[in-house]
Amino acid sequence: MASAGLAYEPFVERWKHALVSASDARDRKSDFPSYFFDGPDAIGRGLVTTCVPHDFRVGTGANLYTATILPALLAAEREVVLVTCFWAPSRTLDALGRTIEELAKRRKARIAAGNTVGSSNINGSGSGEARGGGSKEPQKLRLRIGLSSVSLFQRLFHTSKKEGYVYPPSKWARLGLPDAKTLGEAGIEMQVKSLFFNPISVLHPKFVVVDGTVAFLPSANVSWEPWLEGCVTVTGDVVGRLLRFYREVWEFGREGEGGVLAANTVEWDQPAAESQFVSAGLPVVENPSMPAEHARVPLSQPRDGPSSPIATILLPSPHHRNPRFRPFPWQKSPDPPATPLNAAIQCLLAGAQRDVYLQSPNFTCPAVLGGIIAALDRGVDVRIVAGGKKMMLLEQIVTAGTTTGRCLKKLVARYQKMARGPGRDPNVPGPANGMLDVEQRIRPLGNLIVSYFCPPKRRLAGGEERTDGGRMVEEPTHAHLKLTVVDGSITVLGSGNMDRASFFTSQELGMLFRGEEIAAGVMEVVDKALEGRLEKSFSSVIVGS
């Protein structure tokens, strides 16, 4: 008889207990921002919330930005918050600069015509109020850009103050952004800030919030890499929690100054925003060999009125400057800091009942690998998809002292040793294949599948770029999507990798969604995107079983 799967409410309680009772709980008082909680109720008030998920898309970073995020930016009336980690010259950056210029052009024309700027949103509901409103002047638009890494030189000499570094307008052009005069004439107040903490603590979250109404959570940076990425679009209460996280980090010391309040609406008309974007003549980078209907899935389809919110947890993970390396083989790997995101991933692995899907560029965190082994030992099937065999090798060695390839080989070796252990028969499939361990008198062992992303051989590896009927297209060379799905009912998306850097030093941000519908929708799109793009490294599944 198949297991009923991981129950959500008990999971949430275990997660809360893990945060409150962790040995380093009081050390978190000095985290930035701090997620020290005196009790489970405080956790619920701060992070447990709801949202309406609108859609999930896959594509390269340039595709996701031009097809999804930048159309929303062009429709902005009051505020745009754009946070990314890496910032580099790219198709994404070019498109971002052109979109901001087009937004400024439109606003300037409306101001010259005497029309009210900022009176309504594309969602038709009107935006949330701006703090300190009441002025008769045309509504200003706040554009806030946060980034962490531009170059090695920038990181080496970056300030470690929590206020970060604010780029003066004279340096905006170097970042590929419009000049202050163009923006000022359009009533756009832009600030560009960077935060980085030596030696290796980047701020890795990636999210965009428009007018306090809609939020986008992409895995992609504003950078050049043609990697397979994902992006989820949400509205509802979680947007306010996300804005609070933003202001605590990126407006440190000025949290109460300005800013748009989260709009009390779950409505968002993405197709209308995309239509306006295309009509403006702005470029959209297309997905190659992947029809649009296969790259996107709607996650809420209201029939009679607005969609119902689903249970959601915002999962931040503050950065830590001490990597807590243990370089000698006789030293036990330390437990990762008990951040909301770290604790959630560990609790999900510990509580999984049937199956786990894990996709990440890297797999070098010992706590994650140990959790996978424990799940397999309980009879849980685990499917792992890594970003690519040669992806980010130098970064892995610097931050973890090892590579994903070595870690997954060791994982497979441990699995094979378990299969040969007492009470186990490696030729008997696990419970997911219908075998009754009681009748067989064999302890169930979950199936393990390990794969690496690999570009289709029929195409050029290297991010082939070409035109297709006048449109720009890209072929992803690696997979940068970060996705966890447990028992087909709990989904985690965001910036966190399954590597040592994400668990120990980088600031990360994830969202956990409850529901079989969203899990099935996300997996449907991901599986289609991975067709013909996976190289299987190991599989315990018996063919024909």
Side-chain angles (χ1 to χ4, degrees):
M1 181 176 178
S3 168
L6 177 61
Y8 180 74
E9 287 80 6
F11 155 74
V12 173
E13 292 307 312
R14 287 195 299 271
W15 169 70
K16 290 179 179 179
H17 178 75
L19 287 175
V20 172
S21 62
S23 59
D24 67 343
R26 297 205 169 268
D27 294 340
R28 294 201 304 272
K29 284 186 174 181
S30 60
D31 282 353
F32 174 56
S34 174
Y35 288 98
F36 169 76
F37 299 103
D38 292 319
D41 291 341
I43 301 174
R45 291 192 301 270
L47 301 175
V48 179
T49 181
T50 61
C51 82
V52 171
H54 287 256
D55 67 17
F56 174 76
R57 303 191 188 199
V58 294
T60 62
N63 167 253
L64 292 178
Y65 261 87
T66 57
T68 304
I69 298 173
L70 296 185
L73 189 155
L74 184 63
E77 299 283 359
R78 289 173 167 78
E79 182 181 67
V80 175
V81 170
L82 190 158
V83 173
T84 188
C85 179
F86 297 99
W87 185 279
S90 57
R91 290 189 183 274
T92 304
L93 181 53
D94 290 344
L96 173 61
R98 289 183 62 180
T99 303
I100 296 174
E101 289 176 350
E102 177 64 24
L103 176 61
K105 176 183 175 182
R106 292 185 173 199
R107 289 179 59 88
K108 184 177 178 180
R110 289 166 63 184
I111 292 173
N115 296 334
T116 302
V117 174
S119 59
S120 65
N121 269 2
I122 201 166
N123 63 13
S125 64
S127 179
E129 297 179 1
R131 296 176 184 173
S135 172
K136 295 182 180 180
E137 295 293 323
Q139 176 70 54
K140 297 287 188 180
L141 186 146
R142 282 169 39 106
L143 176 55
R144 297 294 183 262
I145 297 176
L147 56 95
S148 190
S149 176
V150 175
S151 66
L152 176 61
F153 181 85
Q154 172 249 356
R155 295 194 299 272
L156 287 174
F157 297 97
H158 200 284
T159 178
S160 291
K161 293 182 179 180
K162 294 179 180 179
E163 291 81 3
Y165 174 74
V166 177
Y167 284 85
S170 60
K171 293 186 178 181
W172 289 352
R174 300 182 192 176
L175 297 173
L177 297 169
D179 59 80
K181 183 176 183 294
T182 299
L183 300 183
E185 292 174 345
I188 298 176
E189 298 177 346
M190 185 169 76
Q191 181 187 86
V192 184
K193 176 187 284 191
S194 62
L195 285 169
F196 178 81
F197 300 92
N198 284 309
I200 53 175
S201 295
V202 295
L203 272 64
H204 203 230
K206 306 149 183 65
F207 60 91
V208 179
V209 182
V210 176
D211 289 339
T213 299
V214 60
F216 302 87
L217 203 69
S219 61
N221 296 293
V222 178
S223 191
W224 57 269
E225 299 88 355
W227 293 342
L228 182 69
E229 311 277 4
C231 179
V232 64
T233 305
V234 298
T235 59
D237 290 345
V238 75
V239 176
R241 308 295 177 100
L242 187 56
L243 283 174
R244 177 183 173 185
F245 169 79
Y246 164 76
R247 304 202 197 287
E248 288 177 342
V249 175
W250 294 92
E251 296 185 356
F252 176 75
R254 302 177 57 187
E255 295 92 330
E257 299 179 18
V260 169
L261 300 176
N264 186 23
T265 180
V266 298
E267 298 178 10
W268 172 248
D269 193 345
Q270 181 69 25
E274 294 173 10
S275 177
Q276 289 189 17
F277 189 81
V278 173
S279 65
L282 294 169
V284 176
V285 178
E286 300 287 349
N287 272 327
S289 63
M290 192 184 301
E293 61 270 20
H294 292 173
R296 173 189 179 188
V297 60
L299 299 177
S300 59
Q301 295 177 308
R303 297 175 183 175
D304 300 311
S307 302
S308 299
I310 64 170
T312 307
I313 304 178
L314 187 67
L315 296 173
S317 191
H319 79 278
H320 297 89
R321 300 182 70 174
N322 182 3
R324 301 174 66 186
F325 287 134
R326 300 292 186 270
F328 301 107
W330 60 83
Q331 292 180 303
K332 181 182 177 181
S333 177
D335 293 329
T339 68
L341 179 57
N342 289 355
I345 295 299
Q346 291 178 280
C347 287
L348 287 173
L349 290 174
Q353 300 295 307
R354 295 196 310 263
D355 52 74
V356 175
Y357 179 88
L358 295 170
Q359 182 166 346
S360 168
N362 305 325
F363 286 85
T364 60
C365 179
V368 171
L369 299 170
I372 292 172
I373 287 293
L376 291 164
D377 192 42
R378 298 194 309 272
V380 177
D381 293 340
V382 178
R383 180 182 169 199
I384 295 171
V385 176
K389 286 188 174 181
K390 297 182 179 181
M391 184 180 188
M392 302 160 62
L393 292 177
L394 180 59
E395 177 182 316
Q396 295 175 49
I397 293 172
V398 170
T399 60
T402 186
T403 65
T404 291
R406 291 183 60 188
C407 289
L408 292 183
K409 283 182 180 178
K410 290 181 179 179
L411 176 74
V412 169
R414 291 177 65 184
Y415 175 81
Q416 292 174 321
K417 183 176 181 181
M418 283 197 305
R420 296 189 297 268
R424 291 248 167 77
D425 183 344
N427 295 316
V428 176
N433 291 317
M435 302 303 294
L436 298 177
D437 61 285
V438 174
E439 295 180 2
Q440 298 290 331
R441 298 188 182 280
I442 291 174
R443 291 192 297 131
L445 180 65
N447 285 315
L448 173 64
I449 300 176
V450 178
S451 303
Y452 290 88
F453 184 89
C454 182
K457 294 181 180 179
R458 64 181 180 274
R459 297 182 180 275
L460 295 176
E464 177 188 16
E465 298 180 3
R466 66 186 190 281
T467 59
D468 183 4
R471 299 173 301 176
M472 293 180 293
V473 299
E474 288 184 324
E475 173 67 37
T477 59
H478 298 89
H480 194 240
L481 173 66
K482 307 93 170 18
L483 169 65
T484 300
V485 179
V486 174
D487 291 340
S489 62
I490 295 180
T491 306
V492 179
L493 291 161
S495 69
N497 299 319
M498 298 297 168
D499 60 14
R500 205 180 190 285
S502 287
F503 271 73
F504 280 87
T505 56
S506 302
Q507 184 192 90
E508 304 289 354
L509 181 70
M511 281 189 193
L512 181 150
F513 306 95
R514 177 190 186 183
E516 294 180 356
E517 294 81 4
I518 185 172
V522 168
M523 286 307 307
E524 177 184 358
V525 169
V526 170
D527 283 337
K528 288 178 179 177
L530 294 178
E531 287 182 3
R533 292 182 170 91
L534 286 182
E535 180 181 333
K536 193 172 291 185
S537 174
F538 175 82
S539 176
S540 66
V541 177
I542 300 175
V543 178
S545 63

